[in-house]
Each structure stands twice: as structure tokens, then as C-alpha cells.
Amino acid sequence: MRRPVTRLEGTATHGRGPGVVPSPKLAPPPPASDVLERDRLLDALDQATSGEIPSVTLLNAPAGSGKTVLLGSWFRRRARNHPAAEHLAWISLDANDNKVFSLWSSILRALQRSAGDGSVPVPAIPRDASAHEYVGAFTDACARLPRPVILVLDNAHELSAPDAVKNVNLLLRYLPPRVRIVIATRFPPPLILPRIRLEGRLREITARQLNFTEEEIGKLLAGQHLALSKADLDEISARTEGWAAGLRFLTLALATAPDTGAAIRAFTGDDRLLAEYLGAEIVGPQPAQIREFLLSTSICPDISDELATRLTGQENSGHILYTLTRTNALVTRHGFRYRCHPLLRDYLRAELNRRHPSAHRRLHRSAAEWFTDSGDVLSALEHGIAAQDDELITRYVQRSGLQTVLSGHGPRLHALLGELPDHILARPQVALIAAVAALDAHDLVAADRYLGRIDNSAQPLRSGRLRALNAVAVLYRARYGGQLDKALAGLRATSAGDTGDVDLDLLALVTRGTAALWLGDLPGAAEDLERALRTATLEQRDAVRLQCEVHLAGIARVQGDLAGLAVHTGAALELARSRGWTETSRTAFLYAVLGMAAYQRLDQESARRFSALATRLSPAVVEPGVEMLTVTLGAAVEFGLAADPHAVVETLRGHRKRLAAEPVAPWLVACTAPIEQRLALRVGEPTWATDVTERHRHLLAPYAEHALLSTLVHIQRGRTGAARRRLRPVIERQTRPLVAQTLIECWLLEAVLADQAGEQNQAHSAVGRALDLAAPQQALRPFHDAGRRVRELLVRGAGRFGRTEEFASTVLQALPAHPAGPVDPLTSRELELLTELPSMRTTEQIADSLFVSVNTVKTHLRGIYRKLGVNHRRDAVVAARRRGLL
């Protein structure tokens, strides 16, 4: 039975029911055909409106953020999936709802509509009822409903009249137990939301949450039948920042564009349809003073209170910026700075040029002066270029260009200088600093173009400083390929390093030290790099600090200085972390050094991780030495995991041949050539192994490393006598090594050969010498690569290694039970038997011809098969021929 309608207590007899409410106000707008339902936000709304406590959910975001679309999707999903769970009421608020009677008429009609069956009569209320009476009528109506109520108030920013705000605040304060309210607004209305937040009843979905993720952008555009690349999606994400309105207008532009990529790049806030929207919904409603403020500050992507004051002349700039963020005018705060949405800034800059064309250069000049006073030279230069002030640009480049590069901002400076007109780049000082910045950004084409201006100039460089700077730039360029020794001699003929200009001298030192390193002068390199490191630390030139630490770490690694390696790599990693450089090309060589150190420690996991980082972060243009180390490390760590190890070695071989014409330091060849040779031997390519020896003869002939390479070839061919003779000058210290690890490898080879010759005491002594050298370096790799016999020698000698006994145990534990290595040679009897295998003679016939028993022949055959890694006579012949043994 329907409950009779009762008059509210205290109402006058002349009261009447609520006014007429247009039905479209009481339902979400119909959905567009291309709406993307975002489950993460729909689920967030479900969670926000759940629970026993009467709550308020706030969606506070700028115009065009998709609030209404989202709420409409959620409203319909709730009605579809949970038809009997709650009563859903919707009101699209507008300016007319600032009249209290109209506001409550909308609320009560929406409540009545949510019941569907007319079970909630609308109480009679007078137009002059109090706020408490209206709230009481709402509470009474909710009590008549059998299920909880969710009331959506869309466009709550329309409420501004004090009486309307007072009524809604009272409703929020005395919200009935089973009622949830969802409020969508462009900016926080003057409601008691802070109080509700304090009471723990406020749930919020922010503008950041409403922004489309890159994955959602991809799904949205795929729904428009637009197939986009990852680069396209990245560009769209950067331009729109996930703002729903921006994406909507972009899809409209793409729908008719013949070239999707070009349309994406051309899409800005000055797009006609988007500009109309921004003007009407974001900028137009602002007071004239605020509009002018936005126009004047639009020349800067980020702005502070002080900079805004300088540009606009308005002392209350800080308050204006704060208000813009509070009112969601597509202005956001990041620490102490503010920024416009990229599309809004595009629109404002276009408007500034249309309305005040003469103000553009003046504002940029003011910004340049402000950034100069603040010490931000790059931003000052950027605005100087925009202001087209030639003298200002030249002054900035001359005074601060080198400092900018040495502090780690070379790539950005390079991008800015690329915009300069030719008449400024014709000035030698500007061209040379532009060349240095281009080299720091690994752009050799641009660097050659800038240096070419100097070479082709009819005017000689007039000052000693310019000649020194030119010599430094030429040497810097030669590091990437060219006559490095000639360029180094040219630099030493100038005053570079002692000009009195801190930044020029610092660049000269680090460039000279790096060049010396790649030319093989380790002491000279260390001296220059350590001197540069002290200056860079004092002057806070962090890019130079990092370069010095990394290259000094490389020197420590070559010299077997484990402590120095740890100090320099630790300092480099900490500096890279503090500056955000851990995932940049600046740390690629660092990871190569760390990877090689891990490889020598048999730390395969770390070696693979560092190798992957070094490879991924290496720039397209890299110094030949860095490239050689990185590629060799990659092949070494990939070899044991590859399905086709032979292809890995073949690729490495091809790469080394390609670099054959480049100047490479002997020490670097000494580090990498033995790795290449051992890998070649392990895949059964003795010719390749011999080629490694011959290819580097001109560099390594005077050093122990050439003896090492030759010895390995002799051992592989079974020439044990020749191998020992080749080793003798090294172990007798008549031939010095370039790399500390070489002596370890040579002593281990001597141990293997001595053991094979039956000289057990000599073999034990040789292993002991290897342990003495390896322990300070924690070098485990040489023992791993030396083969099975070294492991047996360690086992036999256990307890007799003296002070290195503990390290010997560590080595033994790190070695596999049956290590495989290219230095496990065939014995003389095995080699003699091997020559018989290609014949068709039986085992018995071979035994007769060799005057041994059949069992002896079988024993030797098993040894041959094991060492060649085969199981059958035919395979042994193939493997022996591949290795050059037959």
C-alpha cells in the first residue's frame, strides 16, 4: 500500500511540490560511439562508493578531462551489472541550480526517478523552505527507498551562490547513512570538502588519474582504426599528456590526415578546433588580467613566481599562479615552479604572436636576463636565441659554453646551437664550442661541419686561446677515428692545459688524458686524468668527473689494481646516480669495465648484466676502443649461452677486422685478443686463432701477450716443446706484459706443460706463482680457461700453497669439476695415433703398427675423443682437420 504523502513539519499550507526539471538533467549524456571504458577508473569508482560510512567521492579535474564521460560509463555499468544493488540518481548541475528551490527540485526529482516505480512521492515543499527543511525532505525520501542511494552531482563548479552552497554543505554534513554522493567539478566549489576529508569520508580521483596512460591511448586510437608505431604513441603521449580533450581533437585531425605521422607532429594547441575549445573553456572564462598574465608567461615552459613577476610586472604573480592551479586551468605545480599543459602553451604562444607580435622578442629578452641572474645559462641562451639577439647569444656561448658542456649539458647546448643562423656560427669561438658540444652529443657530422668552418676560413685564428681551443676540439674529434697521435702532437704544440681558462684547460687535460689512454700511454693518461679529476671536483664539472673516474677505473683494471678499480667505479656509479646518468651513454664504458671485471671473477650473472647495459647504452658513434671492449665482452658472455657459439665467434672476428684500420691501444688488444683466440679454439677454428696472433703481431710483438697467443697456438697443434720455449722469456721476466693478467695465464700454461712433461715439482711451483699473482686481483678466469690439468694440479697441491692457500680453495670451488679449455692438448702418442684414424685400418692393425696393445690404443682413443669433444672415429677426424691437427 502506498504511503500517504505528508506535509513537512513547519511548512506552510500554501506549499507546493518541486518545480519542473528537464529530464536530460536527470541522466548522464548519451555515450559517444568511440568511448573507451577504462576499467582501472571504473573499478576505482566502485571502490570509492563502497563501504558502510556515508561518503563523498570527488572528481576534481580541468575541463576536457573526461569526468562526465567516465561517470556516465560508470553509472550505466552500475545500472547494468547491479540493477538491484542501489538507487542511482544523476543531476547535471547548471547555473539555474544556484537558485535553492531549483537545486532541490533537481535533487528530489532525481531521487524519485531512481526509484523507477514511483514509490517515492515528492514531498510538498515551499519555495522559501529552510536548508534544514530541504535536507529533511531528502532524508525522508531516502528512508522510503529499499536500497542505498548513489547521487551523482556533475558540473558542481556551476554552484557559486552562497545559499545554494550552504544547502549542499548541509546535505554533505548530515548525509544519511545509506547515501553516497559523487561530485564532478572543474575546480573545488566552496563546499566543506576539507572537513569531510578530515572525517575520513572523502574519496578523491585526481586529474592525474584521469589522464590516459600510453596503453589506454593506444587502445583508444586502435578503436579509431589507427595503426601507430611506438614512436607515434610516445609523441602523442608527450603532446597531450593523456588529456582526454586533447586526444579527442587529435583523433579528429587524424581522421582526415593522409600522413598520420606528419599530422601527429603538426598537432599543437593552435589546431583550429582545439584552439576554439581552449579559448572558450579554459582561457575565455578568465578575467582579462589573468588572460594577459597567461599570454606573457607562455614563452617559458616552466615558470616561478619571480620570473612571472619579471615578465608580467604583476607583483601578485605567485597568488595568480596558485589560483590557476587551484582552479584547474591546465596549470600544474612542480615544486617551486609551475607549467602550462603543452597544448595550452602552444595556444597561448600563438595568441601572443597574433595579439602582441612586438612583445615576443621583448619578453624573451627579459627571460634571458632573469635566467642569467639566476645562473641558468642554457635557459638564458635559449631565450636569447628566441629573442634573435646576436650579441647576447655570442656572449653566452663565449663565456659559458665550455662550462655547460663540462657540467653535463652538452647535448642540450648542441641542440640549441643547431638553431643559430650562419652569421653567428661564422665566429670562430662560437663554431669551436659548437663542435665540442656536438662531439659531446656524439654528432660527428655536425662536429665536422663546425670544424670545417675553421679549416676553410681565410682568417687565421688570432689568439693563443682560440688556437688551443681548436687543437682540443681536433683531438676530441680524432678520438672517434683519425690520426690520434698527430692530433695529440698538435695539441701539445699549443698552450692548451695552461691557458689560465679553467674550463678550456680542464677540457684539454681530460681530452689529452683520454687520447693518451687509447694510444697506450697509461702513465701519461693516468697523470692527466687524475689532474683533471681534481680540478673537475673542485669546479663541479660533473661530466668531466665521471669521465675521469671511468677511465681511471679502466686503467686500474688493466694494471690489476683491485682497490683502485673499486674506488673509481664506486665513485663513478654514485656520481651517475646523483645526476640521473645511470641509463645514459655517459656510463656505457663504465659498464663495459665493470662487465669485464665481473667476467674475470667468473661472476657470469653480473658480467651479462653489465654487458647488456654497455651494449644498450652505447651511442651510435663510439670511440673504437670502447667499441672493441664492449663487443668482446658481449661475445664472451654470450658464448656459453648461444645456440650457435660458432656464429658468435664469427661475428666477433668480423667486427675485429672492421676495426683493424682504427688506432687501438696495445693494452686494449692485450685485454681482448686472448679472449677472441680462446673462443676461436673452443669452436674448432685453429686458423682463426692463428690469425689473431698474426693480426696483432705489429702491436704485441715486444710484449708478453704475443708470446701468450703464440703459445696457445703451439699447444693446440701439439707442439709442446715450442710452446715452452715461447713462454720462457715471459716467465723469466725478459718480456714484460701489458696487462697484469697475462703473467697469470702464462704461468698456468707453464704449469700445464710441465705437468704433461712429468715435471710435477715445476708444475706445482708454476701454479703457485699464478696464485700469487691472481690473489690480489681475485682473478679466477685464467684458472677456468686453463683446462682440466690446472684443476688437478690445484687438487694435488692442496695444503702446499702457503699464503695463497685460501685463495687456492676459492679457485677450486669456483671451477667446474671438468673444465673445458683449449689448452688441454693431445699427447705425442695421441697425436701419433690421430694420424692413423683417417685410414680404414682396424684397431688391431693400428696396434700392431705402433707396437702397442689393443687396450693401449683404445685408451688413447678415449683421450682423443674426450679432448676433441666427439664420440666416434669419423667425428674425431673431422674435428682434427678443423683444428689443423691433420
mmCIF file with all atom_site columns, all heavy atoms in Angstrom, residues 4-22:
data_model
loop_
_atom_site.group_PDB
_atom_site.id
_atom_site.type_symbol
_atom_site.label_atom_id
_atom_site.label_alt_id
_atom_site.label_comp_id
_atom_site.label_asym_id
_atom_site.label_entity_id
_atom_site.label_seq_id
_atom_site.pdbx_PDB_ins_code
_atom_site.Cartn_x
_atom_site.Cartn_y
_atom_site.Cartn_z
_atom_site.occupancy
_atom_site.B_iso_or_equiv
_atom_site.pdbx_formal_charge
_atom_site.auth_seq_id
_atom_site.auth_comp_id
_atom_site.auth_asym_id
_atom_site.auth_atom_id
_atom_site.pdbx_PDB_model_num
ATOM 1   N N   . PRO A 1 4  ? 0.914  7.463  2.386   1.00 0.00 ? 4  PRO A N   1
ATOM 2   C CA  . PRO A 1 4  ? 0.366  8.782  2.037   1.00 0.00 ? 4  PRO A CA  1
ATOM 3   C C   . PRO A 1 4  ? 1.437  9.860  2.114   1.00 0.00 ? 4  PRO A C   1
ATOM 4   O O   . PRO A 1 4  ? 2.347  9.791  2.923   1.00 0.00 ? 4  PRO A O   1
ATOM 5   C CB  . PRO A 1 4  ? -0.721 8.998  3.087   1.00 0.00 ? 4  PRO A CB  1
ATOM 6   C CG  . PRO A 1 4  ? -0.316 8.137  4.231   1.00 0.00 ? 4  PRO A CG  1
ATOM 7   C CD  . PRO A 1 4  ? 0.324  6.948  3.637   1.00 0.00 ? 4  PRO A CD  1
ATOM 8   N N   . VAL A 1 5  ? 1.295  10.862 1.242   1.00 0.00 ? 5  VAL A N   1
ATOM 9   C CA  . VAL A 1 5  ? 2.219  11.983 1.247   1.00 0.00 ? 5  VAL A CA  1
ATOM 10  C C   . VAL A 1 5  ? 1.905  12.872 2.425   1.00 0.00 ? 5  VAL A C   1
ATOM 11  O O   . VAL A 1 5  ? 0.765  13.288 2.626   1.00 0.00 ? 5  VAL A O   1
ATOM 12  C CB  . VAL A 1 5  ? 2.111  12.789 -0.066  1.00 0.00 ? 5  VAL A CB  1
ATOM 13  C CG1 . VAL A 1 5  ? 3.044  13.978 -0.045  1.00 0.00 ? 5  VAL A CG1 1
ATOM 14  C CG2 . VAL A 1 5  ? 2.410  11.893 -1.255  1.00 0.00 ? 5  VAL A CG2 1
ATOM 15  N N   . THR A 1 6  ? 2.927  13.162 3.214   1.00 0.00 ? 6  THR A N   1
ATOM 16  C CA  . THR A 1 6  ? 2.727  14.030 4.385   1.00 0.00 ? 6  THR A CA  1
ATOM 17  C C   . THR A 1 6  ? 3.435  15.344 4.157   1.00 0.00 ? 6  THR A C   1
ATOM 18  O O   . THR A 1 6  ? 4.488  15.418 3.534   1.00 0.00 ? 6  THR A O   1
ATOM 19  C CB  . THR A 1 6  ? 3.279  13.368 5.650   1.00 0.00 ? 6  THR A CB  1
ATOM 20  O OG1 . THR A 1 6  ? 4.662  13.079 5.440   1.00 0.00 ? 6  THR A OG1 1
ATOM 21  C CG2 . THR A 1 6  ? 2.556  12.066 5.943   1.00 0.00 ? 6  THR A CG2 1
ATOM 22  N N   . ARG A 1 7  ? 2.846  16.373 4.719   1.00 0.00 ? 7  ARG A N   1
ATOM 23  C CA  . ARG A 1 7  ? 3.441  17.692 4.619   1.00 0.00 ? 7  ARG A CA  1
ATOM 24  C C   . ARG A 1 7  ? 4.602  17.778 5.590   1.00 0.00 ? 7  ARG A C   1
ATOM 25  O O   . ARG A 1 7  ? 4.550  17.274 6.699   1.00 0.00 ? 7  ARG A O   1
ATOM 26  C CB  . ARG A 1 7  ? 2.373  18.744 4.934   1.00 0.00 ? 7  ARG A CB  1
ATOM 27  C CG  . ARG A 1 7  ? 2.886  20.167 4.800   1.00 0.00 ? 7  ARG A CG  1
ATOM 28  C CD  . ARG A 1 7  ? 1.708  21.135 4.850   1.00 0.00 ? 7  ARG A CD  1
ATOM 29  N NE  . ARG A 1 7  ? 0.872  20.875 6.013   1.00 0.00 ? 7  ARG A NE  1
ATOM 30  C CZ  . ARG A 1 7  ? 1.124  21.393 7.231   1.00 0.00 ? 7  ARG A CZ  1
ATOM 31  N NH1 . ARG A 1 7  ? 2.190  22.149 7.407   1.00 0.00 ? 7  ARG A NH1 1
ATOM 32  N NH2 . ARG A 1 7  ? 0.326  21.141 8.240   1.00 0.00 ? 7  ARG A NH2 1
ATOM 33  N N   . LEU A 1 8  ? 5.717  18.386 5.127   1.00 0.00 ? 8  LEU A N   1
ATOM 34  C CA  . LEU A 1 8  ? 6.854  18.524 6.009   1.00 0.00 ? 8  LEU A CA  1
ATOM 35  C C   . LEU A 1 8  ? 6.501  19.367 7.206   1.00 0.00 ? 8  LEU A C   1
ATOM 36  O O   . LEU A 1 8  ? 5.748  20.335 7.115   1.00 0.00 ? 8  LEU A O   1
ATOM 37  C CB  . LEU A 1 8  ? 8.019  19.200 5.263   1.00 0.00 ? 8  LEU A CB  1
ATOM 38  C CG  . LEU A 1 8  ? 8.682  18.350 4.167   1.00 0.00 ? 8  LEU A CG  1
ATOM 39  C CD1 . LEU A 1 8  ? 9.720  19.182 3.455   1.00 0.00 ? 8  LEU A CD1 1
ATOM 40  C CD2 . LEU A 1 8  ? 9.282  17.092 4.739   1.00 0.00 ? 8  LEU A CD2 1
ATOM 41  N N   . GLU A 1 9  ? 7.092  18.972 8.322   1.00 0.00 ? 9  GLU A N   1
ATOM 42  C CA  . GLU A 1 9  ? 6.824  19.725 9.562   1.00 0.00 ? 9  GLU A CA  1
ATOM 43  C C   . GLU A 1 9  ? 7.304  21.151 9.397   1.00 0.00 ? 9  GLU A C   1
ATOM 44  O O   . GLU A 1 9  ? 8.398  21.415 8.935   1.00 0.00 ? 9  GLU A O   1
ATOM 45  C CB  . GLU A 1 9  ? 7.579  19.057 10.723  1.00 0.00 ? 9  GLU A CB  1
ATOM 46  C CG  . GLU A 1 9  ? 7.298  19.731 12.051  1.00 0.00 ? 9  GLU A CG  1
ATOM 47  C CD  . GLU A 1 9  ? 8.018  19.058 13.201  1.00 0.00 ? 9  GLU A CD  1
ATOM 48  O OE1 . GLU A 1 9  ? 8.625  17.995 12.980  1.00 0.00 ? 9  GLU A OE1 1
ATOM 49  O OE2 . GLU A 1 9  ? 7.972  19.613 14.293  1.00 0.00 ? 9  GLU A OE2 1
ATOM 50  N N   . GLY A 1 10 ? 6.384  22.102 9.768   1.00 0.00 ? 10 GLY A N   1
ATOM 51  C CA  . GLY A 1 10 ? 6.746  23.504 9.706   1.00 0.00 ? 10 GLY A CA  1
ATOM 52  C C   . GLY A 1 10 ? 6.485  24.150 8.383   1.00 0.00 ? 10 GLY A C   1
ATOM 53  O O   . GLY A 1 10 ? 6.729  25.324 8.226   1.00 0.00 ? 10 GLY A O   1
ATOM 54  N N   . THR A 1 11 ? 5.943  23.403 7.390   1.00 0.00 ? 11 THR A N   1
ATOM 55  C CA  . THR A 1 11 ? 5.708  24.032 6.099   1.00 0.00 ? 11 THR A CA  1
ATOM 56  C C   . THR A 1 11 ? 4.387  24.761 6.113   1.00 0.00 ? 11 THR A C   1
ATOM 57  O O   . THR A 1 11 ? 3.460  24.416 6.818   1.00 0.00 ? 11 THR A O   1
ATOM 58  C CB  . THR A 1 11 ? 5.679  22.993 4.973   1.00 0.00 ? 11 THR A CB  1
ATOM 59  O OG1 . THR A 1 11 ? 4.677  22.029 5.255   1.00 0.00 ? 11 THR A OG1 1
ATOM 60  C CG2 . THR A 1 11 ? 7.016  22.313 4.822   1.00 0.00 ? 11 THR A CG2 1
ATOM 61  N N   . ALA A 1 12 ? 4.318  25.745 5.302   1.00 0.00 ? 12 ALA A N   1
ATOM 62  C CA  . ALA A 1 12 ? 3.072  26.497 5.215   1.00 0.00 ? 12 ALA A CA  1
ATOM 63  C C   . ALA A 1 12 ? 2.076  25.747 4.375   1.00 0.00 ? 12 ALA A C   1
ATOM 64  O O   . ALA A 1 12 ? 2.423  24.934 3.521   1.00 0.00 ? 12 ALA A O   1
ATOM 65  C CB  . ALA A 1 12 ? 3.351  27.879 4.599   1.00 0.00 ? 12 ALA A CB  1
ATOM 66  N N   . THR A 1 13 ? 0.814  26.010 4.586   1.00 0.00 ? 13 THR A N   1
ATOM 67  C CA  . THR A 1 13 ? -0.236 25.304 3.854   1.00 0.00 ? 13 THR A CA  1
ATOM 68  C C   . THR A 1 13 ? -0.240 25.670 2.394   1.00 0.00 ? 13 THR A C   1
ATOM 69  O O   . THR A 1 13 ? -0.791 24.946 1.576   1.00 0.00 ? 13 THR A O   1
ATOM 70  C CB  . THR A 1 13 ? -1.607 25.654 4.471   1.00 0.00 ? 13 THR A CB  1
ATOM 71  O OG1 . THR A 1 13 ? -1.760 27.068 4.453   1.00 0.00 ? 13 THR A OG1 1
ATOM 72  C CG2 . THR A 1 13 ? -1.683 25.141 5.880   1.00 0.00 ? 13 THR A CG2 1
ATOM 73  N N   . HIS A 1 14 ? 0.383  26.805 2.065   1.00 0.00 ? 14 HIS A N   1
ATOM 74  C CA  . HIS A 1 14 ? 0.409  27.194 0.651   1.00 0.00 ? 14 HIS A CA  1
ATOM 75  C C   . HIS A 1 14 ? 1.584  26.554 -0.110  1.00 0.00 ? 14 HIS A C   1
ATOM 76  O O   . HIS A 1 14 ? 1.826  26.854 -1.267  1.00 0.00 ? 14 HIS A O   1
ATOM 77  C CB  . HIS A 1 14 ? 0.506  28.723 0.525   1.00 0.00 ? 14 HIS A CB  1
ATOM 78  C CG  . HIS A 1 14 ? 1.759  29.282 1.163   1.00 0.00 ? 14 HIS A CG  1
ATOM 79  N ND1 . HIS A 1 14 ? 1.821  29.603 2.499   1.00 0.00 ? 14 HIS A ND1 1
ATOM 80  C CD2 . HIS A 1 14 ? 2.975  29.553 0.645   1.00 0.00 ? 14 HIS A CD2 1
ATOM 81  C CE1 . HIS A 1 14 ? 3.038  30.077 2.787   1.00 0.00 ? 14 HIS A CE1 1
ATOM 82  N NE2 . HIS A 1 14 ? 3.749  30.055 1.660   1.00 0.00 ? 14 HIS A NE2 1
ATOM 83  N N   . GLY A 1 15 ? 2.354  25.628 0.561   1.00 0.00 ? 15 GLY A N   1
ATOM 84  C CA  . GLY A 1 15 ? 3.494  24.981 -0.104  1.00 0.00 ? 15 GLY A CA  1
ATOM 85  C C   . GLY A 1 15 ? 3.040  24.128 -1.278  1.00 0.00 ? 15 GLY A C   1
ATOM 86  O O   . GLY A 1 15 ? 1.920  23.644 -1.316  1.00 0.00 ? 15 GLY A O   1
ATOM 87  N N   . ARG A 1 16 ? 3.947  23.897 -2.175  1.00 0.00 ? 16 ARG A N   1
ATOM 88  C CA  . ARG A 1 16 ? 3.650  23.025 -3.303  1.00 0.00 ? 16 ARG A CA  1
ATOM 89  C C   . ARG A 1 16 ? 4.888  22.201 -3.635  1.00 0.00 ? 16 ARG A C   1
ATOM 90  O O   . ARG A 1 16 ? 5.951  22.406 -3.053  1.00 0.00 ? 16 ARG A O   1
ATOM 91  C CB  . ARG A 1 16 ? 3.231  23.858 -4.515  1.00 0.00 ? 16 ARG A CB  1
ATOM 92  C CG  . ARG A 1 16 ? 4.256  24.876 -4.996  1.00 0.00 ? 16 ARG A CG  1
ATOM 93  C CD  . ARG A 1 16 ? 3.707  25.680 -6.151  1.00 0.00 ? 16 ARG A CD  1
ATOM 94  N NE  . ARG A 1 16 ? 4.650  26.675 -6.625  1.00 0.00 ? 16 ARG A NE  1
ATOM 95  C CZ  . ARG A 1 16 ? 5.623  26.441 -7.481  1.00 0.00 ? 16 ARG A CZ  1
ATOM 96  N NH1 . ARG A 1 16 ? 5.805  25.215 -7.919  1.00 0.00 ? 16 ARG A NH1 1
ATOM 97  N NH2 . ARG A 1 16 ? 6.427  27.403 -7.865  1.00 0.00 ? 16 ARG A NH2 1
ATOM 98  N N   . GLY A 1 17 ? 4.753  21.214 -4.520  1.00 0.00 ? 17 GLY A N   1
ATOM 99  C CA  . GLY A 1 17 ? 5.858  20.308 -4.839  1.00 0.00 ? 17 GLY A CA  1
ATOM 100 C C   . GLY A 1 17 ? 6.961  21.011 -5.610  1.00 0.00 ? 17 GLY A C   1
ATOM 101 O O   . GLY A 1 17 ? 6.847  22.181 -5.969  1.00 0.00 ? 17 GLY A O   1
ATOM 102 N N   . PRO A 1 18 ? 8.059  20.278 -5.881  1.00 0.00 ? 18 PRO A N   1
ATOM 103 C CA  . PRO A 1 18 ? 9.185  20.845 -6.610  1.00 0.00 ? 18 PRO A CA  1
ATOM 104 C C   . PRO A 1 18 ? 8.788  21.310 -7.997  1.00 0.00 ? 18 PRO A C   1
ATOM 105 O O   . PRO A 1 18 ? 7.790  20.866 -8.561  1.00 0.00 ? 18 PRO A O   1
ATOM 106 C CB  . PRO A 1 18 ? 10.172 19.669 -6.682  1.00 0.00 ? 18 PRO A CB  1
ATOM 107 C CG  . PRO A 1 18 ? 9.765  18.744 -5.591  1.00 0.00 ? 18 PRO A CG  1
ATOM 108 C CD  . PRO A 1 18 ? 8.288  18.898 -5.463  1.00 0.00 ? 18 PRO A CD  1
ATOM 109 N N   . GLY A 1 19 ? 9.635  22.204 -8.519  1.00 0.00 ? 19 GLY A N   1
ATOM 110 C CA  . GLY A 1 19 ? 9.364  22.723 -9.846  1.00 0.00 ? 19 GLY A CA  1
ATOM 111 C C   . GLY A 1 19 ? 9.675  21.704 -10.916 1.00 0.00 ? 19 GLY A C   1
ATOM 112 O O   . GLY A 1 19 ? 10.158 20.610 -10.668 1.00 0.00 ? 19 GLY A O   1
ATOM 113 N N   . VAL A 1 20 ? 9.396  22.110 -12.137 1.00 0.00 ? 20 VAL A N   1
ATOM 114 C CA  . VAL A 1 20 ? 9.635  21.234 -13.285 1.00 0.00 ? 20 VAL A CA  1
ATOM 115 C C   . VAL A 1 20 ? 11.134 21.155 -13.548 1.00 0.00 ? 20 VAL A C   1
ATOM 116 O O   . VAL A 1 20 ? 11.828 22.168 -13.563 1.00 0.00 ? 20 VAL A O   1
ATOM 117 C CB  . VAL A 1 20 ? 8.905  21.760 -14.527 1.00 0.00 ? 20 VAL A CB  1
ATOM 118 C CG1 . VAL A 1 20 ? 9.234  20.915 -15.746 1.00 0.00 ? 20 VAL A CG1 1
ATOM 119 C CG2 . VAL A 1 20 ? 7.406  21.792 -14.271 1.00 0.00 ? 20 VAL A CG2 1
ATOM 120 N N   . VAL A 1 21 ? 11.638 19.916 -13.752 1.00 0.00 ? 21 VAL A N   1
ATOM 121 C CA  . VAL A 1 21 ? 13.067 19.685 -14.029 1.00 0.00 ? 21 VAL A CA  1
ATOM 122 C C   . VAL A 1 21 ? 13.172 18.995 -15.382 1.00 0.00 ? 21 VAL A C   1
ATOM 123 O O   . VAL A 1 21 ? 12.568 17.937 -15.577 1.00 0.00 ? 21 VAL A O   1
ATOM 124 C CB  . VAL A 1 21 ? 13.706 18.816 -12.934 1.00 0.00 ? 21 VAL A CB  1
ATOM 125 C CG1 . VAL A 1 21 ? 15.182 18.585 -13.253 1.00 0.00 ? 21 VAL A CG1 1
ATOM 126 C CG2 . VAL A 1 21 ? 13.539 19.446 -11.566 1.00 0.00 ? 21 VAL A CG2 1
ATOM 127 N N   . PRO A 1 22 ? 13.922 19.563 -16.339 1.00 0.00 ? 22 PRO A N   1
ATOM 128 C CA  . PRO A 1 22 ? 14.077 18.900 -17.639 1.00 0.00 ? 22 PRO A CA  1
ATOM 129 C C   . PRO A 1 22 ? 14.676 17.500 -17.471 1.00 0.00 ? 22 PRO A C   1
ATOM 130 O O   . PRO A 1 22 ? 15.665 17.326 -16.747 1.00 0.00 ? 22 PRO A O   1
ATOM 131 C CB  . PRO A 1 22 ? 15.039 19.823 -18.398 1.00 0.00 ? 22 PRO A CB  1
ATOM 132 C CG  . PRO A 1 22 ? 14.940 21.143 -17.700 1.00 0.00 ? 22 PRO A CG  1
ATOM 133 C CD  . PRO A 1 22 ? 14.655 20.846 -16.271 1.00 0.00 ? 22 PRO A CD  1
#
